[in-house]
Amino acid sequence: MEIASSFGSFGSSASATGTPEQSDFVTFLQMLTTQMQNQDPLNPQSASDFAVQLATFAGVEQQTYTNQLLASMLGQTGLADLGGWVGMEARIYGGAHFDGTPIALTPDPALGAEAVTLIVRDEEGRIVDSRTLDPQAQSYSWDGRDSEGALLPPGTYSFEIDSTLDGETLDTQPVAAYVPILEARYENGMTLLVLPGGLYVDSSQVTGLRRPEAEPAN
């Protein structure tokens, strides 16, 4: 009975955390207690038999923990591989943080477009800039100024291009930007890249990498 009491206190601690492995452990203790309460008093099960049952369960529990640890290590290996990305520039969609430094864009106009317009929106989705681009341009450095030429405040801005032919819109697509990678971080099973302005992006969303010194021409 002393053994059952000692296991019972451990089971209460495990139950508080609520993980699947600990829940299974509590179930095992309940079964063990029930078995002890209902055994034949004239032919009780030996302590060694109980020890074997506990050791078997502990072995299974340890194997489960080992598998989880290996899965975590595999995730961390991916993180180590991405460590070489820190300091480089990632090509991503969805916007970029402007802090006074021009943002390198990679417009991709619709095939056959005779006119292309870059549209810039602020964090509220309002259009703050609209300017004409060369339909053949594959790179562009946005200087952070609005349609009136005034410098915009620091913040996150998103970009899109409107391609037209004979005054008719052919296509409107988001524009990717090259942004510096400040840090690689592993969270909730995902490897996240930390970008300027407190922005995060899943590493799987990166569509290109380059060294910072490779700046696009206007």
Side-chain angles (χ1 to χ4, degrees):
M1 296 301 296
E2 182 178 354
I3 294 177
S5 174
S6 139
F7 282 166
S9 64
F10 184 21
S12 299
S13 174
S15 175
T17 60
T19 63
E21 295 77 13
Q22 291 168 336
S23 176
D24 290 342
F25 189 75
V26 171
T27 300
F28 172 77
L29 293 180
Q30 291 173 344
M31 293 173 61
L32 183 62
T33 302
T34 301
Q35 182 180 358
M36 295 177 66
Q37 292 173 343
N38 292 279
Q39 65 180 332
D40 185 353
L42 300 179
N43 185 26
Q45 189 169 357
S46 67
S48 60
D49 290 337
F50 285 122
V52 169
Q53 293 180 23
L54 181 59
T56 300
F57 181 84
V60 173
E61 186 180 33
Q62 182 62 36
Q63 184 61 49
T64 301
Y65 173 77
T66 300
N67 291 342
Q68 292 177 334
L69 182 60
L70 287 174
S72 175
M73 290 175 64
L74 287 175
Q76 296 299 331
T77 299
L79 179 61
D81 292 340
L82 289 180
W85 290 21
V86 176
M88 299 187 71
E89 293 181 339
R91 183 178 182 270
I92 61 169
Y93 290 89
H97 181 75
F98 175 69
D99 59 1
T101 303
I103 297 176
L105 305 178
T106 59
D108 186 18
L111 185 63
E114 65 177 8
V116 174
T117 302
L118 172 67
I119 300 171
V120 183
R121 299 179 185 272
D122 63 12
E123 297 181 39
E124 304 298 325
R126 296 175 298 221
I127 296 178
V128 295
D129 184 24
S130 177
R131 62 181 69 178
T132 301
L133 300 184
D134 181 350
Q136 304 300 319
Q138 297 183 339
S139 61
Y140 185 80
S141 181
W142 182 64
D143 57 8
R145 298 183 179 275
D146 63 17
S147 301
E148 304 299 324
L151 189 66
L152 290 165
T156 300
Y157 296 88
S158 59
F159 312 91
E160 60 188 51
I161 53 172
D162 184 59
S163 303
T164 61
L165 175 64
D166 296 330
E168 298 292 334
T169 299
L170 295 176
D171 196 13
T172 300
Q173 292 289 340
V175 178
Y178 273 104
V179 295
I181 300 174
L182 305 180
E183 179 186 350
R185 183 179 300 177
Y186 187 76
E187 293 183 1
N188 300 321
M190 297 187 301
T191 303
L192 303 177
L193 301 178
V194 183
L195 311 176
L199 302 180
Y200 295 82
V201 63
D202 191 326
S203 60
S204 63
Q205 297 178 3
V206 174
T207 60
L209 285 173
R210 72 175 191 184
R211 300 187 182 281
E213 59 267 24
E215 298 182 356
N218 287 341

